[in-house]
Every structure is written in structure tokens, then in C-alpha cells.
Amino acid sequence: MVVLAASIITKSGKALVSRQFVDMSRIRIEGLLAAFPKLIGTGKQHTYVETENVRYVYQPIEALYLLLVTNKQSNILEDLETLRLLSKIVPEYSLSLDEEGICKTAFELIFAFDEVISLGHKESVTVTQIQQYCEMESHEEKLHKLVMQTKINETKDIMKRKASEIDKSKLDRNRSDKGGLMSLNGRIESTFSDLNISGGGSGFGSSSGFGLSNDVETFNSKPKGRSPASATAPPKGLGMKLGKTQRTNQFLESLKAEGEVILEDVKPGVVQSRSLATPPTDPITLTIEEKLNVTLKRDGGVGNFDVQGTLSMQILNQDDALIQVQIETGGDPAVLFKTHPNINKELFSNENILGLKDPKRPFPTGQAGDAAGIGLLKWRMQTTEESVVPLTINCWPSISGTETYVSIEYESSSMFDLQNVVISVPLPAVREAPSVRQVDGEWRYDPRNSVLEWSILLINNSNRSGSMEFVVPPVDLSIFFPITVSFTAATTFSGMKVVSILPLKGGLPPKFSHRTQLLTENYQVM
């Protein structure tokens, strides 16, 4: 008997696990495996197929095939015995006999196949012996770990000695500083005693002189050196600091492994510079921003829909502050506008122009570092109509046997192209990630907060709807709510636009830029 290869393949001929036992080219082995599905007939009870050169001995394993490729001169009884032994090994290492489970334990299965077949010939072993052989410890590995642990212990001892030496040197330095200060103080007192200087005498000690006596009294009244407690108490050891740092690093690494985003320590100036928004470069910058507060019902319908918008302006130079702003609204009667108290309301109502009540008064400037700018206009929109919702989420959880199947789908309104969409679904508190069967986009599991995040970079006319399906252990179906959604868009509900800047002192209008953004403040499916 000569076994050329042992493999676990799908019905389409895709090799999940493949082990070659003789000197053959990879292309030859792949060709033999690819030809196998075409040779299997329907309705036949045989467990082998012979071709002109090789024999295929196989056994179905649910939706897969356990396959031996041998030469035609091998003993078919030994082939079948080897096949039965391999079929007992596969369930021992792979808990689920599907494509995903086999791929997860591919290396363990290959190692087990090597224990059964050596150079194409079957070894006389049992399943228990194979497990023992695969789990045997390496003497060289244990020796290497022992040497590494010895080096670590020696390094810790050196660190402790160094820390002790540093503490001792600090203590000696503190004592010497205290002794030197006391000696200096004694010499000063002796000098003044020899000079016989007093506060009520004449010469240098008189009130009209330099006042050395008062300085001496003040100097002597100060503590001489450190207090006895601080002089004798040793500072914290370096070894303790290193141990604390090591534990902190291990804790941070564990948080990173759980999916937490850890920011490294940086100087406050660096953090501040990163947190600031990019300052405007144009003389005038207008920002249109709308924030969504939406609550959708899990069974359909709108619980709350509130849009709050603002129009703000930033002016860099005083020369450009004597202006008015011509705007254009969408004309929706459901949108209610409210101007700043200093804005001319009549001018806004009649001509859609935002200007100060006093036309000779300029707008405030110097707002380059203020991200909010000068507030000119606010508006609000509330409704219960589901047709205006930019993104609806439908969640369909169901329990089947020992698993919970969850199907989630989204539908986007054609009015908006949504960016950076993240749909966060709460999950039961388990360490293992859910089994995601299908997803339109990308997904990420946060084990620390037990949240599955479904991300879609852009939703436009090419993907107005999408879905995701995943499987978790059986739980209460209400645990998947509330679902939290976040996104941004460059289109607003109000249809607010900045048309032009009108200079009041004549001349060309100053250059301006405008930013428009719709974002979610609180968007949930309850």
C-alpha cells in the first residue's frame, strides 16, 4: 500500500486540508483532487473510484469528503482501514464538521495525518496514541523556557540591587546636604557674633543701614535642611516602579486585545493641537450643521424625530466684518427658523438676508480658534412620518435549537448619501465573537462592551439596502436592543444654502467658504 495524499475536500473539489506523503509535484496533486468530484457517480454505493493511474478511496463527512489517493497496486482492505482511522480522528480535532470548522483546525489535522501515515505507509497506531503523540512536550522547549526564566530572575535581582544602591545614595546625599547647611549656618552665626551686630546699635545694624540683623534672623528662622522624617525615609524603590510599570503595560495590552483603543501618553500640548479643528483659511467661513435625535420602534414607526440646525460664521479680519449674508432655504413649512437677537428679523423674513439690526455695526471677528463661530440662525424640525427617516433598521432575531439567528437589514432614503455608517448591536456578555454568516460591508466585535459594530463606508444609489446575519448562543431576544446608529451626510433637511456675501461698504465681496453637514447626536432603534 502506498498512499499518495490524504485530503478533506468539498463537493466542488476545493481542498480544505491536504497532506502529501510521496515526492510528487504540487500541480499533480491539485490536478488529482480537482478531478475527483467529476468521477463520483450518483446512486453508487462504492467507496472508491479507480482511474488509469490512481485509486480514490473516500468517505462522505456531512457536506465534505475524506479522501485517500493511492496507487492501484495498494491493498484496498488496508486503504479502507486507514480511511476508517482517519474518519475517527477528524471529529476529535474539529468540533464542527463543516468548511469553517475544518479550516480552523487544519494544522492539527495535518499533524494527526502524519502520525497515521508515514512515507505513504500506514502506522500501527490507535486514536489514543495519536492524541498522545500530538500532545507530547518538547524537552528542548522546556529547557529553553527554563533558561529564559533564569535570565528574567537574574535581571530582577540586578534591578533590586541597583534600586537599593540608588536609595542609599539619595539618603547619603540628603544627610550630607543637611550637615553642610547646619555647618554653614553655624559659621554665619559665629561671624555675626564676632562682629557684635544688634538690631538697636549703630553702624550696619541700625535701622537706617542695610538691615543685616533682620536678614540673619529670617535666615535662622527657616528650617535647616529637610525635616527628620523626610531625611531618613527612603524614596520608593526603582524595583517597585518597574514592577508597577510592567503590570500597567500588561493591563493595557489586555485591554488592546479586547478591542479597546488605548491612547499613548503624550504631552498636553500635543493632545491639544490634535483635538483642535483645522482653522479656517478663507476670510469668511460659514458652517451649516444639523443634528439628528431619532428614536425608531423595533416593530416599525417613529417614536421621536427631532432635527436641530445652526448656521454660524467665522470672520478673520475686521475689514471684512461689515457685511450681510444672502441665504436660501428649502421652503419646507415644517422647518421653524429663529434668528439671533441682534439679527434684523424683518430683513430675514422678507429677503432671506442675515444682517445686523444696526447696518453700520460690523460682525465680531477674531473667531479663528472658535469651532462654533458666531451663531446667526437656528432652526428645528419635528415629525412622526417614517418617510423622512434617512436610515431605517429592521432586526429579526429568532431561536432555533441551541442557537439564536439574527438578521439585520437597513434601508436608506434616496434623499441622502450617508457616510461612515456604524450600526452597533448589543450582544450577550461572551468573550467569543459571534459567527457572522453574511454581511454587506465590514464588522467588528468589541468583547469589552459586548457590541457588534457593522460598518458601511458609504451608502448611495448603489447600495440603498443591505443586510447582515450572525449567530450567537440562545438568549433573550430583547438583548439585541437598543441598536445605536451613527453617520454623517453632506445634505440637510432644511436645504439651507449660502448664496452670497453682500459688502455694505462697497467694493468686491470678500472670499468665503461654507461647510454643510448632517450628523447623528442620538439615533436608536428601541
Side-chain angles (χ1 to χ4, degrees), residues 156 159 237-250:
K156 289 182 178 180
M159 288 163 46
L238 180 60
M240 296 177 62
K241 293 182 180 178
L242 292 176
K244 182 178 180 181
T245 303
Q246 185 177 7
R247 290 194 299 271
T248 303
N249 292 338
Q250 292 176 355

Side-chain angles (χ1 to χ4, degrees), residues 188-494:
I188 293 174
E189 291 178 352
S190 176
T191 302
F192 286 130
S193 178
D194 294 340
L195 292 174
N196 193 16
I197 298 174
S198 62
S202 61
F204 292 107
S206 63
S207 58
S208 61
F210 294 98
L212 291 176
S213 176
N214 294 334
D215 293 341
V216 173
E217 291 177 0
T218 305
F219 183 80
N220 290 334
S221 64
K222 295 180 180 179
K224 302 178 181 62
R226 298 187 180 183
S227 62
S230 63
T232 56
K236 293 182 179 180
L238 180 60
M240 296 177 62
K241 293 182 180 178
L242 292 176
K244 182 178 180 181
T245 303
Q246 185 177 7
R247 290 194 299 271
T248 303
N249 292 338
Q250 292 176 355
F251 177 68
L252 293 178
E253 291 298 331
S254 64
L255 290 180
K256 291 180 181 179
E258 293 175 359
E260 287 294 318
V261 178
I262 306 299
L263 296 178
E264 301 295 338
D265 291 338
V266 294
K267 296 182 179 180
V270 177
V271 176
Q272 184 178 6
S273 63
R274 290 181 180 178
S275 61
L276 293 177
T278 303
T281 57
D282 293 319
I284 300 176
T285 302
L286 294 110
T287 303
I288 301 172
E289 184 178 79
E290 288 186 351
K291 295 182 179 180
L292 279 173
N293 287 276
V294 178
T295 301
L296 304 177
K297 300 178 182 179
R298 68 181 70 177
D299 298 328
V302 179
N304 177 53
F305 187 92
D306 185 24
V307 181
Q308 296 185 7
T310 58
L311 171 61
S312 58
M313 179 172 62
Q314 293 174 311
I315 303 176
L316 299 183
N317 303 317
Q318 184 68 31
D319 297 337
D320 301 323
L322 197 61
I323 58 171
Q324 292 178 341
V325 181
Q326 177 76 53
I327 64 172
E328 183 180 294
T329 61
D332 190 348
V335 181
L336 304 178
F337 293 94
K338 185 176 182 180
T339 60
H340 189 276
N342 294 332
I343 297 296
N344 191 332
K345 297 182 179 180
E346 184 178 355
L347 184 63
F348 169 70
S349 301
N350 297 334
E351 303 181 34
N352 280 341
I353 294 178
L354 296 173
L356 295 176
K357 293 180 179 179
D358 185 1
K360 298 181 180 180
R361 177 184 173 186
F363 281 100
T365 59
Q367 301 291 329
D370 186 6
I374 308 166
L376 302 180
L377 185 66
K378 292 183 179 180
W379 60 91
R380 189 172 185 178
M381 173 184 173
Q382 291 179 316
T383 183
T384 56
E385 296 182 6
E386 194 172 2
S387 59
V388 301
V389 177
L391 186 67
T392 57
I393 306 296
N394 296 316
C395 182
W396 305 88
S398 61
I399 298 178
S400 177
T402 59
E403 294 179 327
T404 301
Y405 292 84
V406 183
S407 297
I408 302 178
E409 58 183 5
Y410 72 82
E411 292 185 7
S412 172
S413 171
S414 58
M415 296 172 54
F416 300 92
D417 289 346
L418 307 181
Q419 303 170 0
N420 302 321
V421 182
V422 179
I423 303 172
S424 302
V425 184
L427 298 182
V430 293
R431 303 289 297 179
E432 296 183 359
S435 175
V436 178
R437 303 293 177 85
Q438 181 269 331
V439 61
D440 293 330
E442 298 180 353
W443 66 276
R444 171 184 172 270
Y445 177 58
D446 181 2
R448 184 171 180 82
N449 298 314
S450 297
V451 173
L452 177 62
E453 295 182 351
W454 178 16
S455 303
I456 305 100
L457 188 61
L458 175 64
I459 297 180
N460 53 19
N461 291 330
S462 64
N463 57 342
R464 289 297 178 190
S465 62
S467 61
M468 177 177 67
E469 182 179 355
F470 62 90
V471 180
V472 295
V475 293
D476 184 8
L477 300 184
S478 62
I479 200 171
F480 302 106
F481 297 92
I483 299 174
T484 305
V485 184
S486 65
F487 57 81
T488 61
T491 307
T492 59
F493 283 91
S494 63

Side-chain angles (χ1 to χ4, degrees), residues 107-136:
F107 287 104
E108 289 81 356
L109 290 172
I110 290 175
F111 296 151
F113 286 0
D114 285 341
E115 299 297 334
V116 176
I117 303 172
S118 177
L119 299 176
H121 299 279
K122 178 181 177 299
E123 297 287 340
S124 180
V125 291
T126 62
V127 176
T128 304
Q129 289 175 334
I130 293 171
Q131 292 177 341
Q132 292 177 351
Y133 295 159
C134 292
E135 294 175 359
M136 286 181 64

Side-chain angles (χ1 to χ4, degrees), residues 9-14 32-41 65:
I9 64 174
T10 63
K11 291 185 177 181
S12 62
K14 176 184 177 182
L32 292 175
L33 297 178
F36 170 71
K38 303 176 183 178
L39 301 174
I40 301 177
Y65 284 110

